[in-house]
Amino acid sequence: MFFGEYSYKVDEKGRVPLPPKFRRELKEGVILAKGMGEKCIAIYSIAEWKRLSDSLAAKAVTPANLRKLNRAIFGSAFSASFDGQGRITLPYSLREHAGIADTAIVVGANNRIELWSEDQWKPEKTSAEEQASQIIESFGV
Amino acid sequence: MFFGEYSYKVDEKGRVPLPPKFRRELKEGVILAKGMGEKCIAIYSIAEWKRLSDSLAAKAVTPANLRKLNRAIFGSAFSASFDGQGRITLPYSLREHAGIADTAIVVGANNRIELWSEDQWKPEKTSAEEQASQIIESFGV
DNA sequence: CCCCAATTCCCCACTTTTCCCCACAATCCT
DNA sequence: AGGATTGTGGGGAAAAGTGGGGAATTGGGG
């Protein structure tokens, strides 16, 4: 389970550290993927990635459908592992998709870690918090 | 279950003690979160946090909705544990959100502990007491 | 086929922050 | 009154954040 919000520098080589608490759950490496629907990078543990892609594949009804799905899912996914300093290297295509230049906001989101550019994260954060407090108000959690 | 109101110093490192009575229920550590809607820090036991986040996540209707909700819930949460002196360290972002500088008011609120700055707490306290007495009146407890 | 350039990967180094331990004064309980 | 617990402060060791260098690898061009 991942939580918390952190800010890290991305160096010229596209390397970014993850919080130590996250690393401890990800010793065997990670899968990087485009954030589906959002302009961010999604990071999964290997196990979680398998679970996700399996459950997605099970939903494909026709073979053509499945091939297309596989292309979308696996085509934008990369595996990565940590260097001695606890950093992973972000492929250029993903950095570009998320608009990440020299600073990355690392957000724990339960079963997933997300990387955002500062500019994209600010509005997303406020709108997410608005939605959450609306739900709290109306359902009285 | 948490009761009472206490006042503690927050030192330069952002550490704050919790009342011994609270600590005894929280030996396995705590989850710190933003008080949604209020300018305070909310503290939960691990078990209570899981219960809350699960019941919130259950309210999401679409996958995009759930992703956003997870961002708000998990993104603003941090885990913390006690040092040998019974203190926890408050992340800077949470201290800032609550406006806590060198003094924290610790308030027991049933399933939750809240940390307030002195300035924010005073008006909140009076308005909470007013509302409480109104509610009690109208329900005739 | 060989060589060179560009990239990737791994290691090293430095600075800052965090974490854990120790210390002392005040308070509470017996 | 005395011992144990609690509130508060600080120091030092360890870890984390950041930056860079050089060997290994890859790909393309001569």
Side-chain angles (χ1 to χ4, degrees):
Chain A
M1 190 154 61
F2 305 107
F3 40 57
E5 179 187 329
Y6 308 83
S7 173
Y8 289 109
K9 288 257 174 189
V10 180
D11 64 26
E12 302 149 354
K13 300 178 182 176
R15 299 176 299 185
V16 67
L18 292 186
K21 284 182 184 177
F22 292 2
R23 295 205 288 259
R24 281 190 269 276
E25 298 189 38
L26 299 168
K27 292 203 180 83
E28 299 125 36
V30 296
I31 304 290
L32 309 176
K34 275 190 187 176
M36 299 291 170
E38 291 95 10
K39 291 238 165 294
C40 68
I41 301 175
I43 302 181
Y44 302 92
S45 69
I46 311 280
E48 184 66 20
W49 170 256
K50 284 197 180 120
R51 203 172 316 143
L52 274 180
S53 53
D54 284 353
S55 81
L56 265 176
K59 300 224 166 59
V61 279
T62 71
N65 213 323
L66 181 58
R67 285 198 300 274
K68 191 165 281 207
L69 196 57
N70 279 337
R71 250 171 256 132
I73 298 174
F74 293 97
S76 72
F78 297 83
S79 76
S81 51
F82 294 94
D83 68 12
Q85 278 63 37
R87 294 172 294 196
I88 54 178
T89 301
L90 306 176
Y92 179 74
S93 61
L94 290 183
R95 260 182 291 159
E96 198 183 25
H97 172 255
I100 292 175
D102 66 345
T103 302
I105 310 294
V106 178
V107 182
N110 201 2
N111 64 332
R112 178 180 66 250
I113 300 166
E114 293 180 345
L115 301 186
W116 294 77
S117 74
E118 289 179 298
D119 292 347
Q120 301 273 350
W121 173 239
K122 264 185 253 170
E124 177 61 30
K125 180 183 182 178
T126 50
S127 87
E129 283 176 353
E130 265 171 30
Q131 183 189 313
S133 53
Q134 271 181 28
I135 289 179
I136 292 174
E137 288 305 321
S138 55
F139 286 95
V141 178
Chain B
M1 196 148 60
F2 305 108
F3 293 108
E5 178 186 330
Y6 308 82
S7 173
Y8 289 108
K9 286 258 176 189
V10 180
D11 65 26
E12 302 152 352
K13 299 179 182 176
R15 298 175 300 185
V16 67
L18 292 187
K21 285 184 181 179
F22 293 1
R23 294 205 287 259
R24 281 189 267 278
E25 297 189 40
L26 299 168
K27 291 203 179 82
E28 298 127 36
V30 296
I31 304 290
L32 309 176
K34 272 191 185 179
M36 293 286 173
E38 289 103 8
K39 293 233 165 298
C40 70
I41 302 175
I43 303 181
Y44 302 93
S45 70
I46 312 277
E48 184 65 19
W49 165 258
K50 285 199 178 121
R51 201 172 320 145
L52 276 179
S53 56
D54 284 353
S55 79
L56 260 179
K59 305 282 197 299
V61 281
T62 69
N65 215 315
L66 178 60
R67 287 199 300 273
K68 189 168 277 231
L69 200 53
N70 275 336
R71 251 168 244 141
I73 300 172
F74 290 89
S76 69
F78 294 85
S79 75
S81 51
F82 293 95
D83 68 10
Q85 278 61 40
R87 294 171 294 195
I88 54 177
T89 301
L90 307 175
Y92 178 74
S93 61
L94 291 183
R95 261 182 291 158
E96 198 183 26
H97 171 256
I100 292 175
D102 66 346
T103 302
I105 311 294
V106 178
V107 183
N110 200 6
N111 65 332
R112 176 177 69 243
I113 300 167
E114 291 181 347
L115 300 187
W116 294 79
S117 73
E118 289 178 297
D119 292 348
Q120 302 273 350
W121 172 241
K122 266 183 256 169
E124 176 63 29
K125 182 182 182 179
T126 54
S127 87
E129 283 173 351
E130 274 170 22
Q131 282 192 28
S133 62
Q134 276 179 26
I135 291 176
I136 291 173
E137 287 305 320
S138 61
F139 281 95
V141 179

Tab-separated table of all heavy atoms in Angstrom, chain B residues 8-9 13 15 20 85 87, chain D residues 6-12:
chain	number	residue	atom	x	y	z
B	8	TYR	N	0.628	20.634	23.446
B	8	TYR	CA	2.023	20.211	23.451
B	8	TYR	C	2.876	21.117	22.596
B	8	TYR	O	2.410	21.693	21.615
B	8	TYR	CB	2.167	18.776	22.926
B	8	TYR	CG	1.638	17.734	23.861
B	8	TYR	CD1	0.460	17.054	23.577
B	8	TYR	CD2	2.321	17.429	25.018
B	8	TYR	CE1	-0.028	16.081	24.431
B	8	TYR	CE2	1.836	16.459	25.889
B	8	TYR	CZ	0.670	15.790	25.592
B	8	TYR	OH	0.191	14.836	26.441
B	9	LYS	N	4.158	21.163	22.947
B	9	LYS	CA	5.128	21.868	22.129
B	9	LYS	C	5.490	21.027	20.904
B	9	LYS	O	5.614	19.805	21.001
B	9	LYS	CB	6.416	22.108	22.931
B	9	LYS	CG	6.291	23.184	23.966
B	9	LYS	CD	6.955	24.452	23.447
B	9	LYS	CE	6.738	25.573	24.463
B	9	LYS	NZ	7.163	26.858	23.913
B	13	LYS	N	12.231	20.065	14.998
B	13	LYS	CA	12.238	18.947	14.057
B	13	LYS	C	10.828	18.478	13.710
B	13	LYS	O	10.666	17.461	13.040
B	13	LYS	CB	13.031	17.790	14.651
B	13	LYS	CG	14.482	18.138	14.937
B	13	LYS	CD	15.198	16.963	15.555
B	13	LYS	CE	16.635	17.328	15.896
B	13	LYS	NZ	17.321	16.229	16.590
B	15	ARG	N	8.548	17.380	15.824
B	15	ARG	CA	8.099	16.256	16.648
B	15	ARG	C	7.093	16.732	17.686
B	15	ARG	O	7.243	17.797	18.282
B	15	ARG	CB	9.292	15.631	17.366
B	15	ARG	CG	10.325	15.072	16.432
B	15	ARG	CD	11.534	14.563	17.181
B	15	ARG	NE	12.194	15.597	17.947
B	15	ARG	CZ	13.336	15.411	18.601
B	15	ARG	NH1	13.922	14.224	18.574
B	15	ARG	NH2	13.882	16.390	19.270
B	20	PRO	N	-0.091	9.832	26.782
B	20	PRO	CA	0.173	8.418	27.060
B	20	PRO	C	-1.049	7.537	26.871
B	20	PRO	O	-0.943	6.421	26.357
B	20	PRO	CB	0.635	8.432	28.511
B	20	PRO	CG	1.168	9.795	28.727
B	20	PRO	CD	0.399	10.706	27.841
B	85	GLN	N	10.556	8.550	23.062
B	85	GLN	CA	9.914	9.487	23.977
B	85	GLN	C	8.419	9.617	23.715
B	85	GLN	O	7.776	10.503	24.278
B	85	GLN	CB	10.561	10.876	23.851
B	85	GLN	CG	11.836	11.022	24.639
B	85	GLN	CD	12.893	10.062	24.183
B	85	GLN	OE1	13.051	9.825	22.996
B	85	GLN	NE2	13.612	9.472	25.106
B	87	ARG	N	6.950	10.379	20.805
B	87	ARG	CA	6.626	11.457	19.865
B	87	ARG	C	6.511	10.921	18.451
B	87	ARG	O	7.133	9.922	18.104
B	87	ARG	CB	7.732	12.526	19.878
B	87	ARG	CG	7.832	13.263	21.169
B	87	ARG	CD	9.059	14.136	21.189
B	87	ARG	NE	10.281	13.340	21.179
B	87	ARG	CZ	11.476	13.841	21.471
B	87	ARG	NH1	11.608	15.109	21.779
B	87	ARG	NH2	12.533	13.058	21.457
D	6	DT	P	4.004	7.508	30.876
D	6	DT	OP1	2.568	7.307	30.624
D	6	DT	OP2	5.022	6.759	30.123
D	6	DT	O5'	4.312	9.068	30.738
D	6	DT	C5'	3.657	9.993	31.611
D	6	DT	C4'	4.190	11.394	31.400
D	6	DT	O4'	5.526	11.505	31.954
D	6	DT	C3'	4.296	11.842	29.934
D	6	DT	O3'	3.668	13.099	29.794
D	6	DT	C2'	5.797	11.930	29.683
D	6	DT	C1'	6.310	12.284	31.075
D	6	DT	N1	7.735	11.950	31.327
D	6	DT	C2	8.603	12.935	31.757
D	6	DT	O2	8.257	14.083	31.941
D	6	DT	N3	9.894	12.511	31.969
D	6	DT	C4	10.389	11.239	31.794
D	6	DT	O4	11.571	10.977	32.013
D	6	DT	C5	9.429	10.255	31.339
D	6	DT	C7	9.869	8.847	31.117
D	6	DT	C6	8.162	10.655	31.125
D	7	DG	P	3.441	13.715	28.336
D	7	DG	OP1	2.068	14.257	28.296
D	7	DG	OP2	3.883	12.735	27.324
D	7	DG	O5'	4.446	14.946	28.304
D	7	DG	C5'	4.134	16.098	29.063
D	7	DG	C4'	5.278	17.093	28.988
D	7	DG	O4'	6.494	16.442	29.425
D	7	DG	C3'	5.566	17.649	27.592
D	7	DG	O3'	5.738	19.056	27.701
D	7	DG	C2'	6.844	16.935	27.166
D	7	DG	C1'	7.539	16.679	28.497
D	7	DG	N9	8.394	15.493	28.526
D	7	DG	C8	8.051	14.211	28.168
D	7	DG	N7	9.026	13.352	28.318
D	7	DG	C5	10.080	14.116	28.803
D	7	DG	C6	11.404	13.735	29.158
D	7	DG	O6	11.923	12.616	29.115
D	7	DG	N1	12.147	14.830	29.614
D	7	DG	C2	11.670	16.111	29.702
D	7	DG	N2	12.526	17.023	30.160
D	7	DG	N3	10.439	16.476	29.376
D	7	DG	C4	9.706	15.430	28.941
D	8	DT	P	5.869	19.943	26.380
D	8	DT	OP1	5.395	21.282	26.743
D	8	DT	OP2	5.261	19.208	25.261
D	8	DT	O5'	7.431	20.023	26.136
D	8	DT	C5'	8.256	20.614	27.144
D	8	DT	C4'	9.715	20.482	26.782
D	8	DT	O4'	10.153	19.123	26.999
D	8	DT	C3'	10.086	20.805	25.326
D	8	DT	O3'	10.780	22.036	25.322
D	8	DT	C2'	10.975	19.634	24.884
D	8	DT	C1'	11.289	18.930	26.187
D	8	DT	N1	11.497	17.467	26.085
D	8	DT	C2	12.728	16.951	26.421
D	8	DT	O2	13.652	17.622	26.799
D	8	DT	N3	12.823	15.577	26.289
D	8	DT	C4	11.827	14.709	25.872
D	8	DT	O4	12.028	13.506	25.796
D	8	DT	C5	10.570	15.329	25.540
D	8	DT	C7	9.435	14.477	25.071
D	8	DT	C6	10.465	16.662	25.655
D	9	DG	P	11.348	22.629	23.951
D	9	DG	OP1	11.397	24.086	24.109
D	9	DG	OP2	10.605	22.016	22.841
D	9	DG	O5'	12.854	22.087	23.897
D	9	DG	C5'	13.711	22.285	25.011
D	9	DG	C4'	15.022	21.567	24.788
D	9	DG	O4'	14.811	20.139	24.912
D	9	DG	C3'	15.660	21.783	23.415
D	9	DG	O3'	16.906	22.426	23.575
D	9	DG	C2'	15.809	20.384	22.826
D	9	DG	C1'	15.730	19.492	24.055
D	9	DG	N9	15.216	18.154	23.790
D	9	DG	C8	13.975	17.822	23.312
D	9	DG	N7	13.805	16.535	23.178
D	9	DG	C5	15.014	15.984	23.575
D	9	DG	C6	15.436	14.630	23.641
D	9	DG	O6	14.793	13.621	23.351
D	9	DG	N1	16.741	14.521	24.111
D	9	DG	C2	17.551	15.578	24.479
D	9	DG	N2	18.767	15.284	24.901
D	9	DG	N3	17.162	16.840	24.415
D	9	DG	C4	15.901	16.967	23.961
D	10	DG	P	17.690	22.972	22.282
D	10	DG	OP1	18.397	24.181	22.712
D	10	DG	OP2	16.773	22.994	21.125
D	10	DG	O5'	18.778	21.828	22.030
D	10	DG	C5'	19.575	21.383	23.130
D	10	DG	C4'	20.323	20.128	22.769
D	10	DG	O4'	19.397	19.011	22.675
D	10	DG	C3'	21.085	20.164	21.435
D	10	DG	O3'	22.411	19.757	21.663
D	10	DG	C2'	20.325	19.172	20.556
D	10	DG	C1'	19.823	18.197	21.607
D	10	DG	N9	18.701	17.373	21.185
D	10	DG	C8	17.478	17.806	20.727
D	10	DG	N7	16.668	16.822	20.437
D	10	DG	C5	17.397	15.678	20.712
D	10	DG	C6	17.048	14.312	20.592
D	10	DG	O6	15.980	13.836	20.199
D	10	DG	N1	18.091	13.471	20.995
D	10	DG	C2	19.303	13.904	21.440
D	10	DG	N2	20.185	12.972	21.775
D	10	DG	N3	19.652	15.181	21.565
D	10	DG	C4	18.649	16.006	21.184
D	11	DG	P	23.537	20.055	20.561
D	11	DG	OP1	24.428	21.062	21.146
D	11	DG	OP2	22.900	20.277	19.256
D	11	DG	O5'	24.326	18.673	20.490
D	11	DG	C5'	24.457	17.851	21.671
D	11	DG	C4'	24.921	16.476	21.256
D	11	DG	O4'	23.764	15.674	20.892
D	11	DG	C3'	25.846	16.448	20.044
D	11	DG	O3'	26.805	15.409	20.211
D	11	DG	C2'	24.900	16.181	18.884
D	11	DG	C1'	23.864	15.269	19.535
D	11	DG	N9	22.527	15.374	18.957
D	11	DG	C8	21.867	16.525	18.582
D	11	DG	N7	20.677	16.313	18.103
D	11	DG	C5	20.534	14.925	18.162
D	11	DG	C6	19.442	14.103	17.775
D	11	DG	O6	18.359	14.441	17.294
D	11	DG	N1	19.731	12.758	18.006
D	11	DG	C2	20.898	12.276	18.534
D	11	DG	N2	20.980	10.958	18.674
D	11	DG	N3	21.919	13.032	18.906
D	11	DG	C4	21.668	14.341	18.682
D	12	DG	P	28.080	15.310	19.264
D	12	DG	OP1	29.261	15.324	20.142
D	12	DG	OP2	27.941	16.301	18.175
D	12	DG	O5'	27.963	13.855	18.627
D	12	DG	C5'	27.505	12.766	19.429
D	12	DG	C4'	27.053	11.636	18.526
D	12	DG	O4'	25.712	11.904	18.050
D	12	DG	C3'	27.915	11.438	17.272
D	12	DG	O3'	28.058	10.057	17.018
D	12	DG	C2'	27.104	12.136	16.195
D	12	DG	C1'	25.696	11.816	16.632
D	12	DG	N9	24.675	12.735	16.145
D	12	DG	C8	24.794	14.095	15.972
D	12	DG	N7	23.704	14.660	15.518
D	12	DG	C5	22.814	13.599	15.386
D	12	DG	C6	21.473	13.600	14.939
D	12	DG	O6	20.777	14.546	14.563
D	12	DG	N1	20.936	12.316	14.954
D	12	DG	C2	21.611	11.183	15.360
D	12	DG	N2	20.936	10.042	15.306
D	12	DG	N3	22.868	11.174	15.780
D	12	DG	C4	23.394	12.411	15.765
